[in-house]
mmCIF file of all heavy atoms in Angstrom:
data_model
loop_
_atom_site.group_PDB
_atom_site.id
_atom_site.type_symbol
_atom_site.label_atom_id
_atom_site.label_comp_id
_atom_site.label_asym_id
_atom_site.label_seq_id
_atom_site.Cartn_x
_atom_site.Cartn_y
_atom_site.Cartn_z
ATOM 1 N N GLY V 485 -37.933 19.972 -33.210
ATOM 2 C CA GLY V 485 -37.940 20.604 -34.529
ATOM 3 C C GLY V 485 -37.655 22.087 -34.426
ATOM 4 O O GLY V 485 -38.123 22.775 -33.508
ATOM 5 N N SER V 486 -36.895 22.607 -35.367
ATOM 6 C CA SER V 486 -36.489 24.017 -35.319
ATOM 7 C C SER V 486 -37.699 24.940 -35.485
ATOM 8 O O SER V 486 -37.722 26.032 -34.923
ATOM 9 C CB SER V 486 -35.424 24.296 -36.389
ATOM 10 O OG SER V 486 -35.903 23.899 -37.656
ATOM 11 N N LYS V 487 -38.691 24.477 -36.211
ATOM 12 C CA LYS V 487 -39.842 25.367 -36.407
ATOM 13 C C LYS V 487 -40.669 25.528 -35.134
ATOM 14 O O LYS V 487 -41.470 26.450 -35.014
ATOM 15 C CB LYS V 487 -40.704 24.887 -37.585
ATOM 16 C CG LYS V 487 -41.323 23.511 -37.404
ATOM 17 C CD LYS V 487 -42.140 23.123 -38.656
ATOM 18 C CE LYS V 487 -42.989 21.882 -38.430
ATOM 19 N NZ LYS V 487 -42.243 20.682 -38.027
ATOM 20 N N ASN V 488 -40.462 24.648 -34.149
ATOM 21 C CA ASN V 488 -41.184 24.761 -32.868
ATOM 22 C C ASN V 488 -40.328 25.381 -31.770
ATOM 23 O O ASN V 488 -40.691 25.331 -30.595
ATOM 24 C CB ASN V 488 -41.654 23.389 -32.403
ATOM 25 C CG ASN V 488 -42.563 22.733 -33.431
ATOM 26 O OD1 ASN V 488 -43.440 23.389 -33.990
ATOM 27 N ND2 ASN V 488 -42.328 21.452 -33.695
ATOM 28 N N GLY V 489 -39.169 25.897 -32.139
ATOM 29 C CA GLY V 489 -38.297 26.473 -31.116
ATOM 30 C C GLY V 489 -37.250 25.506 -30.640
ATOM 31 O O GLY V 489 -36.473 25.809 -29.726
ATOM 32 N N GLY V 490 -37.222 24.297 -31.240
ATOM 33 C CA GLY V 490 -36.182 23.328 -30.894
ATOM 34 C C GLY V 490 -35.152 23.248 -32.008
ATOM 35 O O GLY V 490 -34.781 24.278 -32.583
ATOM 36 N N TYR V 491 -34.701 22.024 -32.295
ATOM 37 C CA TYR V 491 -33.686 21.833 -33.336
ATOM 38 C C TYR V 491 -34.084 20.654 -34.193
ATOM 39 O O TYR V 491 -35.003 19.886 -33.856
ATOM 40 C CB TYR V 491 -32.319 21.591 -32.697
ATOM 41 C CG TYR V 491 -31.893 22.745 -31.813
ATOM 42 C CD1 TYR V 491 -32.227 22.762 -30.469
ATOM 43 C CD2 TYR V 491 -31.196 23.833 -32.349
ATOM 44 C CE1 TYR V 491 -31.872 23.828 -29.669
ATOM 45 C CE2 TYR V 491 -30.833 24.913 -31.544
ATOM 46 C CZ TYR V 491 -31.174 24.894 -30.213
ATOM 47 O OH TYR V 491 -30.826 25.964 -29.425
ATOM 48 N N ASP V 492 -33.344 20.475 -35.287
ATOM 49 C CA ASP V 492 -33.638 19.358 -36.172
ATOM 50 C C ASP V 492 -32.662 18.203 -35.983
ATOM 51 O O ASP V 492 -32.928 17.086 -36.442
ATOM 52 C CB ASP V 492 -33.629 19.830 -37.630
ATOM 53 C CG ASP V 492 -34.714 20.877 -37.847
ATOM 54 O OD1 ASP V 492 -35.809 20.727 -37.263
ATOM 55 O OD2 ASP V 492 -34.441 21.866 -38.544
ATOM 56 N N THR V 493 -31.545 18.475 -35.343
ATOM 57 C CA THR V 493 -30.586 17.384 -35.077
ATOM 58 C C THR V 493 -30.068 17.515 -33.647
ATOM 59 O O THR V 493 -30.093 18.614 -33.064
ATOM 60 C CB THR V 493 -29.350 17.445 -36.001
ATOM 61 O OG1 THR V 493 -28.605 18.622 -35.662
ATOM 62 C CG2 THR V 493 -29.751 17.492 -37.468
ATOM 63 N N ILE V 494 -29.556 16.409 -33.129
ATOM 64 C CA ILE V 494 -29.011 16.446 -31.772
ATOM 65 C C ILE V 494 -27.723 17.254 -31.747
ATOM 66 O O ILE V 494 -27.401 17.888 -30.732
ATOM 67 C CB ILE V 494 -28.830 15.012 -31.195
ATOM 68 C CG1 ILE V 494 -28.694 15.103 -29.672
ATOM 69 C CG2 ILE V 494 -27.651 14.300 -31.836
ATOM 70 C CD1 ILE V 494 -29.123 13.874 -28.943
ATOM 71 N N SER V 495 -26.997 17.290 -32.873
ATOM 72 C CA SER V 495 -25.784 18.109 -32.930
ATOM 73 C C SER V 495 -26.119 19.574 -32.721
ATOM 74 O O SER V 495 -25.486 20.268 -31.924
ATOM 75 C CB SER V 495 -25.078 17.954 -34.280
ATOM 76 O OG SER V 495 -24.535 16.679 -34.386
ATOM 77 N N ASP V 496 -27.124 20.040 -33.475
ATOM 78 C CA ASP V 496 -27.508 21.445 -33.337
ATOM 79 C C ASP V 496 -27.930 21.746 -31.897
ATOM 80 O O ASP V 496 -27.519 22.752 -31.305
ATOM 81 C CB ASP V 496 -28.681 21.766 -34.281
ATOM 82 C CG ASP V 496 -28.243 21.736 -35.745
ATOM 83 O OD1 ASP V 496 -27.013 21.698 -36.000
ATOM 84 O OD2 ASP V 496 -29.129 21.735 -36.629
ATOM 85 N N ALA V 497 -28.730 20.833 -31.339
ATOM 86 C CA ALA V 497 -29.219 21.050 -29.974
ATOM 87 C C ALA V 497 -28.057 21.040 -28.987
ATOM 88 O O ALA V 497 -27.964 21.888 -28.089
ATOM 89 C CB ALA V 497 -30.223 19.959 -29.607
ATOM 90 N N SER V 498 -27.144 20.102 -29.174
ATOM 91 C CA SER V 498 -26.028 19.948 -28.247
ATOM 92 C C SER V 498 -25.090 21.147 -28.301
ATOM 93 O O SER V 498 -24.616 21.634 -27.262
ATOM 94 C CB SER V 498 -25.289 18.658 -28.590
ATOM 95 O OG SER V 498 -24.096 18.564 -27.851
ATOM 96 N N ILE V 499 -24.824 21.628 -29.512
ATOM 97 C CA ILE V 499 -23.925 22.783 -29.649
ATOM 98 C C ILE V 499 -24.532 24.017 -28.979
ATOM 99 O O ILE V 499 -23.853 24.765 -28.284
ATOM 100 C CB ILE V 499 -23.618 23.035 -31.140
ATOM 101 C CG1 ILE V 499 -22.694 21.918 -31.659
ATOM 102 C CG2 ILE V 499 -22.972 24.407 -31.352
ATOM 103 C CD1 ILE V 499 -22.646 21.806 -33.173
ATOM 104 N N ALA V 500 -25.832 24.169 -29.133
ATOM 105 C CA ALA V 500 -26.476 25.360 -28.563
ATOM 106 C C ALA V 500 -26.665 25.234 -27.056
ATOM 107 O O ALA V 500 -26.526 26.212 -26.309
ATOM 108 C CB ALA V 500 -27.829 25.582 -29.237
ATOM 109 N N MET V 501 -26.963 24.027 -26.581
ATOM 110 C CA MET V 501 -27.388 23.868 -25.187
ATOM 111 C C MET V 501 -26.319 23.245 -24.284
ATOM 112 O O MET V 501 -26.380 23.394 -23.064
ATOM 113 C CB MET V 501 -28.651 22.991 -25.138
ATOM 114 C CG MET V 501 -29.842 23.596 -25.867
ATOM 115 S SD MET V 501 -31.205 22.401 -26.084
ATOM 116 C CE MET V 501 -31.766 22.202 -24.378
ATOM 117 N N GLY V 502 -25.359 22.505 -24.881
ATOM 118 C CA GLY V 502 -24.302 21.902 -24.064
ATOM 119 C C GLY V 502 -23.419 22.992 -23.480
ATOM 120 O O GLY V 502 -23.197 24.030 -24.116
ATOM 121 N N LYS V 503 -22.898 22.757 -22.282
ATOM 122 C CA LYS V 503 -22.194 23.848 -21.598
ATOM 123 C C LYS V 503 -20.901 23.374 -20.949
ATOM 124 O O LYS V 503 -20.866 22.352 -20.271
ATOM 125 C CB LYS V 503 -23.103 24.448 -20.522
ATOM 126 C CG LYS V 503 -24.266 25.225 -21.099
ATOM 127 C CD LYS V 503 -25.146 25.817 -20.013
ATOM 128 C CE LYS V 503 -25.920 24.723 -19.267
ATOM 129 N NZ LYS V 503 -26.888 25.279 -18.294
ATOM 130 N N LEU V 504 -19.848 24.149 -21.180
ATOM 131 C CA LEU V 504 -18.553 23.846 -20.554
ATOM 132 C C LEU V 504 -18.130 25.010 -19.672
ATOM 133 O O LEU V 504 -18.496 26.170 -19.921
ATOM 134 C CB LEU V 504 -17.493 23.638 -21.638
ATOM 135 C CG LEU V 504 -17.686 22.427 -22.557
ATOM 136 C CD1 LEU V 504 -16.650 22.430 -23.668
ATOM 137 C CD2 LEU V 504 -17.604 21.127 -21.751
ATOM 138 N N GLU V 505 -17.329 24.704 -18.666
ATOM 139 C CA GLU V 505 -16.748 25.785 -17.871
ATOM 140 C C GLU V 505 -15.669 26.485 -18.676
ATOM 141 O O GLU V 505 -15.087 25.920 -19.592
ATOM 142 C CB GLU V 505 -16.140 25.209 -16.590
ATOM 143 C CG GLU V 505 -17.210 24.753 -15.624
ATOM 144 C CD GLU V 505 -16.634 24.373 -14.267
ATOM 145 O OE1 GLU V 505 -15.412 24.517 -14.085
ATOM 146 O OE2 GLU V 505 -17.420 23.948 -13.418
ATOM 147 N N ASP V 506 -15.395 27.747 -18.313
ATOM 148 C CA ASP V 506 -14.330 28.487 -19.001
ATOM 149 C C ASP V 506 -12.970 27.862 -18.712
ATOM 150 O O ASP V 506 -12.100 27.784 -19.566
ATOM 151 C CB ASP V 506 -14.321 29.949 -18.537
ATOM 152 C CG ASP V 506 -15.570 30.675 -19.022
ATOM 153 O OD1 ASP V 506 -16.146 30.226 -20.041
ATOM 154 O OD2 ASP V 506 -15.971 31.663 -18.379
ATOM 155 N N LYS V 507 -12.821 27.425 -17.481
ATOM 156 C CA LYS V 507 -11.545 26.838 -17.046
ATOM 157 C C LYS V 507 -11.258 25.539 -17.809
ATOM 158 O O LYS V 507 -12.077 24.612 -17.817
ATOM 159 C CB LYS V 507 -11.642 26.550 -15.544
ATOM 160 C CG LYS V 507 -10.629 25.587 -15.001
ATOM 161 C CD LYS V 507 -9.444 26.303 -14.395
ATOM 162 C CE LYS V 507 -8.385 25.325 -13.906
ATOM 163 N NZ LYS V 507 -7.038 25.852 -14.036
ATOM 164 N N VAL V 508 -10.089 25.496 -18.460
ATOM 165 C CA VAL V 508 -9.637 24.266 -19.105
ATOM 166 C C VAL V 508 -8.358 23.820 -18.399
ATOM 167 O O VAL V 508 -7.484 24.653 -18.104
ATOM 168 C CB VAL V 508 -9.345 24.500 -20.604
ATOM 169 C CG1 VAL V 508 -8.824 23.218 -21.257
ATOM 170 C CG2 VAL V 508 -10.586 25.006 -21.309
ATOM 171 N N TYR V 509 -8.241 22.536 -18.079
ATOM 172 C CA TYR V 509 -7.010 22.029 -17.461
ATOM 173 C C TYR V 509 -6.030 21.671 -18.568
ATOM 174 O O TYR V 509 -6.295 20.772 -19.367
ATOM 175 C CB TYR V 509 -7.302 20.823 -16.577
ATOM 176 C CG TYR V 509 -8.075 21.220 -15.347
ATOM 177 C CD1 TYR V 509 -9.465 21.209 -15.348
ATOM 178 C CD2 TYR V 509 -7.414 21.665 -14.205
ATOM 179 C CE1 TYR V 509 -10.188 21.604 -14.226
ATOM 180 C CE2 TYR V 509 -8.122 22.057 -13.081
ATOM 181 C CZ TYR V 509 -9.503 22.029 -13.101
ATOM 182 O OH TYR V 509 -10.209 22.425 -11.993
#
Side-chain angles (χ1 to χ4, degrees):
Chain V
S486 55
K487 62 181 191 302
N488 301 317
Y491 301 90
D492 298 322
T493 67
I494 198 154
S495 291
D496 291 348
S498 172
I499 289 163
M501 298 168 69
K503 290 180 290 186
L504 295 174
E505 289 189 2
D506 292 335
K507 162 96 183 147
V508 178
Y509 291 91

